[in-house]
């Protein structure tokens, strides 16, 4: 998965550019978009970024996106852990908010649910909407 370069190589010649960092960046970004379940994808992004950097160092090539994939992957893990901890700590309030939102058919009734969430937790309603 780390070497998918289209340019032909002779036997034993290392790749010109290590592309595994771009895959890691893709996994890390997907992990950021899918919290809290994206923690697994973010970990894949971190691992792939480290593997790409190691392979690039070994072959004396570049690994574009490898360091960025590690950073984005770590950020995805942190965001996923933070959201998971909110869901664990405020389990009852999350259940009440989801039930209230399911019954809310107007903007005004949804605002009532949002205000109840914010007054009971001190967190903005966008945290639970993720």
């Amino acid at each position: 998965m780390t070497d998918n370069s289209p340019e032909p190589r002779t036997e034993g010649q290392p790749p010109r550019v290590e592309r595994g960092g771009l895959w890691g960046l893709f996994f890390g970004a997907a992990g950021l978009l899918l919290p809290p379940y994206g923690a697994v994808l973010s970990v894949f992004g971190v691992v792939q970024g480290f593997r790409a950097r190691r392979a690039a160092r070994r072959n004396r090539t570049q690994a574009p996106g490898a360091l960025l994939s590690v950073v984005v992957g770590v950020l995805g893990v942190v965001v996923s852990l933070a959201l998971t901890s909110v869901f664990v700590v405020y389990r009852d309030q999350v259940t009440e908010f989801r039930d209230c939102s399911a019954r809310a058919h107007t903007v005004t009734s949804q605002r009532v649910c949002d205000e109840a969430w914010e007054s009971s937790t001190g967190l903005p309603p966008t945290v639970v909407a993720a």
Side-chain angles (χ1 to χ4, degrees):
M1 185 188 296
T2 60
D3 180 29
N4 55 5
S5 57
E7 55 276 338
R9 295 185 290 152
T10 60
E11 202 61 38
Q13 181 184 7
R16 292 185 195 162
V17 175
E18 182 64 40
R19 302 208 192 280
L22 299 176
W23 278 105
L25 186 58
F26 170 75
F27 284 130
L32 274 176
L33 295 175
L34 301 170
Y37 310 108
V40 174
L41 292 172
S42 295
V43 169
F44 284 153
V46 170
V47 169
Q48 187 63 28
F50 280 130
R51 288 180 65 199
R53 285 188 52 91
R54 191 177 328 122
R57 216 176 283 135
R58 181 177 53 240
N59 296 328
R60 294 187 181 130
T61 60
Q62 297 177 359
L67 186 60
L68 187 59
S69 73
V70 171
V71 171
V72 171
V74 168
L75 184 64
V77 168
V78 168
V79 168
S80 294
L81 290 177
L83 286 176
T84 302
S85 67
V86 166
F87 289 144
V88 168
V89 170
Y90 297 113
R91 184 179 356 178
D92 296 334
Q93 288 90 342
V94 169
T95 304
E96 289 173 16
F97 178 78
R98 295 249 167 118
D99 291 343
C100 181
S101 291
R103 290 189 307 267
H105 295 294
T106 63
V107 173
T108 306
S109 58
Q110 182 61 46
R111 276 195 204 125
V112 170
C113 297
D114 293 346
E115 289 170 3
W117 166 262
E118 204 162 347
S119 68
S120 66
T121 62
L123 298 171
T126 56
V127 171
V128 87

